Amino acid sequence: MKTFEELGVAAPILRAIQEMGYESPMPVQEEVIPFLLGEDNDVIALAQTGTGKTAAFGLPILQKIDVNLYQPQALVLCPTRELCLQIADDLNDYSKYIDGLKVLPVYGGSSIESQIKTLKRGVHVVVATPGRLLDLMNRKTVDLGMIKNVILDEADEMLNMGFTESINAILAEVPPARNMLLFSATMPQGIAGITRKYMKNPKEIVIGKKNEGNKNIKHVYYMVQARDKYLALKRIADYYPNIYGIVFCRTRKETQEIADKLIQDGYNADSLHGELSQAQRDYVMQKFRVKNIQLLVATDVAARGLDVDDLTHVINYGLPDETESYTHRSGRTGRAGKTGISISICHVKEKGKIRQIEHIINKQFEKGEMPTGKEICEKQIFNLVDQIEKVKVDEDEIAALLPSIFRKLEWLDKEDIIKRMVSLELNRMIDYYKDADEIQVVDERSERRNRDSGERSSGRRGANAEEGFVRFFLNFGKSDGLYPNQLIELVNKCVPGKVRIGKIDLRDNFSFFEVEDSEANLVMKKMNGYELEGRRLSVEFAQGKKEGGSNRGGGSREYKGSGNRNRSSFGPRSERNKDKPWRRSTSDRPARKKSRY
Ligand code: AMP
């Protein structure tokens, strides 16, 4: 591997990047820097964000600037204002020791007058979003006649955002003798048009395989029922107490709704979408950058250009409409050599899309197992213990208080104090999860089997039912406070008229009951999905099921027979629910302290 010096990077820039901690070049830098330091060289680089591409083009274009010539000599086009500011910031950092070098970010949504004024004073590098630059060109306030290097960053995104015409108009004004570099995470058709028209024998650089996602990213999907999507999101957030990530939603409305719910449920979250004003968006992004927000719920467009390197997770709250957007979303994590997880909470109907994405990123998704309440509580407890171990103690501040604290707690031994400290923070979480339903992770086959078995057995007697009766499964049991009388009451509450009920078989977490053949379809229709005190009844034909276990892989959770994922692992529910047998809410959550940072 070569050093920056061996790649030809000059002393003032070397000094700046060394101060920034760049010890050796990243692969894309090794390829691009020497090439762009030459003349008349065009490059197409397939590289994800986070691969070090800004320095790859930034260092050589800065090095080639003649600071005595007060004319734009390098032009960087990028899709968003945020990316524009980020690139300009990086270029300023790299050129810290080049006296007099001026970089101007030019983007929509801010005063055009002040940009014109700065241009008149003379700048060397223009970093621009296409629309605003074209506006300035039309006003004859920017001259591209001395441009020696043109960079198109995130070219695929610029095309997606409808900038093709503007880019064409801009490139037509740039002198033909110049270097041109096009960066893109993917290679859609439109890019070929630009390269044919404006590039001469471009060198193709592929960092990683074509269209391949970043190797540092693990891709996981959880397939859940639509109604469980939000609960699944909360579980994932709880399972990763130090999560710092973006939750991608498909629409502005959904973005706002999910963010509102998370905030209401005590999570450290906020929203970012196009209906917010620029000032609001800046404010949210700044809060997120400094980690005052753990979960940023965002639309694809609004999150573009938000350059944060150390995201632990990207969560796809449903898969994007455009499968290629997945590469951009997931590319927000696993940056700068760090590892990241891209989680997709999706519906069984999106299975096909997962396969398409796997093809694009050339990597397989892992099928996620939804963490159980018990697992989440354990994770939270160990995170808390970890924090206790690592917390910085301010001896001076605490010294005066310690004698009284010791006096007050002297009757407790070490073990007691530890137990109390941990419980203080975690009781609410434990309370919540011991009462929460486990979320069923579904898969395609089990969905189909469920449907088929439902259809086949409709109107027919269950395997173990009495003659003339149909046997049903119900997802409530003794531990929910359900006893024969209550079950009969429940059936009659849901189904109009008097239903004849046959054998009742109550188990801890579920039950079987029989009704007359003629009533079976009505019972199914009325009872399944019926909401009782915040919890939905799941009623299924019990045909083919063995008592206490299941032969249908993805059926109801109690049928999985896995034991360890069973909610009863939190202790005897019958005791807990004795007073309020039906009171179980899954929507509320223990409030979490706002900032963990
Ligand atoms: P980029 O792909 O340009 O967004 O870069 C991703 C991150 O890698 C940024 O935080 C850069 O500051 C950092 N970076 C770029 N080049 C290097 C390098 N050679 N050594 C260490 N970090 C780097």
Side-chain angles (χ1 to χ4, degrees):
M1 186 197 290
K2 288 191 171 166
T3 61
F4 278 113
E5 210 165 0
E6 285 165 341
L7 294 179
V9 178
I13 297 180
L14 271 181
R15 189 174 156 204
I17 59 172
Q18 270 158 10
E19 281 180 13
M20 292 170 76
Y22 293 16
E23 281 166 12
S24 46
M26 292 168 93
V28 69
Q29 294 159 359
E30 248 187 295
E31 298 255 15
V32 169
I33 291 172
F35 203 67
L36 280 193
L37 281 173
E39 302 292 325
D40 246 345
N41 285 336
D42 290 346
V43 188
I44 300 174
L46 261 168
Q48 312 289 322
T49 43
T51 50
K53 61 195 173 85
T54 317
F57 67 76
L59 308 189
I61 64 170
L62 290 168
Q63 191 161 320
K64 287 172 77 183
I65 299 292
D66 174 359
V67 281
N68 298 314
L69 178 65
Y70 286 92
Q71 283 275 339
Q73 295 159 54
L75 171 65
V76 183
L77 291 178
C78 60
T80 62
R81 171 187 187 276
E82 288 74 26
L83 187 55
C84 178
L85 286 167
Q86 179 72 39
I87 294 171
D89 264 4
D90 287 352
L91 297 183
N92 278 324
D93 288 343
Y94 303 147
S95 59
K96 188 171 155 191
Y97 296 111
I98 305 179
D99 271 352
L101 194 145
K102 294 261 176 306
V103 178
L104 177 67
V106 156
Y107 48 87
S110 69
S111 154
I112 197 162
E113 277 74 30
S114 76
Q115 289 170 1
I116 293 173
K117 252 190 232 159
T118 318
L119 279 166
K120 278 191 181 148
R121 281 202 298 269
V123 299
H124 302 104
V125 182
V126 174
V127 185
T129 52
R132 175 55 62 95
L133 180 63
L134 200 59
D135 196 350
L136 288 164
M137 285 165 66
N138 291 337
R139 293 171 189 230
K140 309 263 183 264
T141 50
V142 61
D143 178 4
L144 302 181
M146 299 301 283
I147 294 287
K148 298 264 183 320
N149 283 289
V150 182
I151 313 295
L152 305 183
D153 195 13
E154 299 206 353
D156 49 351
E157 282 300 328
M158 289 198 278
L159 300 192
N160 280 345
M161 291 171 79
F163 285 134
T164 314
E165 266 183 40
S166 309
I167 291 172
N168 275 308
I170 293 165
L171 294 182
E173 297 296 314
V174 173
R178 35 78 189 141
N179 290 339
M180 182 163 158
L181 182 148
L182 181 148
F183 266 114
S184 200
T186 58
M187 272 297 151
Q189 278 303 312
I191 302 273
I194 293 188
T195 56
R196 257 199 318 273
K197 206 159 161 196
Y198 299 104
M199 295 177 119
K200 293 164 292 234
N201 298 324
K203 176 181 162 100
E204 257 206 58
I205 297 173
V206 181
I207 302 298
K209 279 193 205 145
K210 248 189 192 184
N211 287 338
E212 186 188 18
N214 182 330
K215 286 227 160 40
N216 296 335
I217 304 169
K218 187 163 109 178
H219 303 265
V220 183
Y221 72 87
Y222 295 93
M223 210 158 266
V224 296
Q225 305 282 0
R227 62 168 185 266
D228 287 336
K229 255 170 90 178
Y230 176 67
L231 291 177
L233 172 65
K234 291 205 304 177
R235 255 172 207 245
I236 290 161
D238 288 341
Y239 190 64
Y240 296 103
N242 295 317
I243 192 169
Y244 175 48
I246 303 181
V247 180
F248 282 99
C249 293
R250 288 174 39 201
T251 61
R252 294 169 180 187
K253 188 165 169 274
E254 187 180 54
T255 304
Q256 193 59 56
E257 276 170 11
I258 297 303
D260 286 348
K261 275 194 197 173
L262 286 171
I263 294 165
Q264 211 171 15
D265 286 343
Y267 290 85
N268 190 5
D270 214 331
S271 62
L272 182 72
H273 55 75
E275 263 165 37
L276 304 176
S277 68
Q278 187 61 53
Q280 286 171 316
R281 271 184 278 163
D282 286 346
Y283 180 62
V284 172
M285 280 195 268
Q286 187 49 22
K287 279 202 298 180
F288 187 58
R289 278 193 200 103
V290 298
K291 298 184 176 170
N292 273 347
I293 299 171
Q294 268 187 284
L295 287 173
L296 182 69
V297 189
T299 55
D300 290 87
V301 175
R304 259 173 221 153
L306 173 67
D307 217 43
V308 180
D309 281 338
D310 45 357
L311 292 188
T312 59
H313 291 75
V314 159
I315 300 181
N316 299 284
Y317 195 76
L319 291 167
D321 288 334
E322 299 289 328
T323 42
E324 287 203 336
S325 300
Y326 182 86
T327 323
H328 285 282
R329 288 183 176 187
S330 60
R332 308 259 160 223
T333 185
R335 288 172 142 202
K338 298 191 179 105
T339 54
I341 305 179
S342 171
I343 288 177
S344 301
I345 304 171
C346 44
H347 188 260
V348 69
K349 285 186 193 140
E350 293 178 296
K351 186 92 178 174
K353 236 185 217 176
I354 297 240
R355 299 289 160 252
Q356 276 175 30
I357 294 170
E358 283 179 334
H359 189 67
I360 288 174
I361 62 173
N362 200 18
K363 208 169 178 183
Q364 279 216 318
F365 276 69
E366 285 175 24
K367 185 170 189 292
E369 277 288 315
M370 195 49 68
T372 61
K374 187 166 183 261
E375 286 163 347
I376 289 169
C377 291
E378 274 174 18
K379 207 55 190 290
Q380 295 271 352
I381 286 170
F382 283 106
N383 182 55
L384 176 67
V385 171
D386 203 43
Q387 284 178 26
I388 292 173
E389 249 190 316
K390 289 184 186 149
V391 69
K392 204 166 154 264
V393 177
D394 189 332
E395 300 286 355
D396 293 342
E397 280 296 317
I398 209 169
L401 303 171
L402 278 181
S404 325
I405 297 171
F406 287 147
R407 234 186 344 270
K408 185 144 178 51
L409 299 181
E410 70 189 350
W411 63 281
L412 293 167
D413 62 19
K414 180 179 157 193
E415 206 172 289
D416 265 328
I417 293 177
I418 292 174
K419 278 197 244 165
R420 277 157 199 263
M421 205 156 48
V422 169
S423 305
L424 199 65
E425 178 84 351
L426 289 156
N427 273 355
R428 275 173 302 183
M429 176 76 62
I430 290 169
D431 270 351
Y432 168 72
Y433 274 112
K434 73 186 170 192
D435 281 350
D437 277 337
E438 297 304 353
I439 296 171
Q440 201 177 312
V441 178
V442 290
D443 69 43
E444 212 175 15
R445 272 169 307 156
S446 63
E447 271 274 306
R448 210 176 303 126
R449 270 199 303 266
N450 279 353
R451 268 200 315 269
D452 289 352
S453 113
E455 278 157 20
R456 275 201 311 275
S457 57
S458 178
R460 280 164 40 181
R461 175 168 82 86
N464 304 314
E466 295 285 336
E467 193 68 51
F469 282 79
V470 172
R471 186 172 170 83
F472 282 98
F473 158 82
L474 171 67
N475 63 331
F476 279 73
K478 280 191 278 191
S479 61
D480 301 295
L482 185 70
Y483 287 93
N485 278 351
Q486 276 116 349
L487 197 143
I488 294 165
E489 241 177 68
L490 178 64
V491 175
N492 285 306
K493 190 170 166 184
C494 298
V495 187
K498 200 96 187 127
V499 179
R500 261 193 72 198
I501 298 173
K503 258 201 325 211
I504 292 176
D505 185 0
L506 291 164
R507 304 299 174 89
D508 271 353
N509 295 318
F510 58 90
S511 326
F512 295 99
F513 67 97
E514 294 174 10
V515 300
E516 259 190 325
D517 214 332
S518 56
E519 305 279 358
N521 285 342
L522 187 64
V523 167
M524 178 69 166
K525 194 167 151 210
K526 295 285 180 189
M527 283 189 77
N528 192 33
Y530 186 87
E531 209 168 309
L532 195 68
E533 299 270 2
R535 192 178 163 205
R536 249 174 238 271
L537 299 187
S538 171
V539 176
E540 298 175 30
F541 292 104
Q543 188 185 25
K545 288 173 190 160
K546 295 274 172 284
E547 292 179 2
S550 171
N551 56 2
R552 308 177 322 149
S556 226
R557 125 194 97 260
E558 286 81 1
Y559 274 109
K560 278 188 171 170
S562 64
N564 63 339
R565 297 186 65 78
N566 195 309
R567 58 176 189 244
S568 63
S569 48
F570 279 104
R573 296 183 50 77
S574 46
E575 275 307 301
R576 278 202 324 275
N577 293 320
K578 229 174 354 204
D579 301 335
K580 296 173 186 159
W582 302 108
R583 198 160 278 287
R584 304 208 313 158
S585 160
T586 52
S587 63
D588 54 0
R589 174 194 184 278
R592 173 186 286 191
K593 278 206 179 121
K594 267 282 173 195
S595 177
R596 306 196 150 252
Y597 292 93

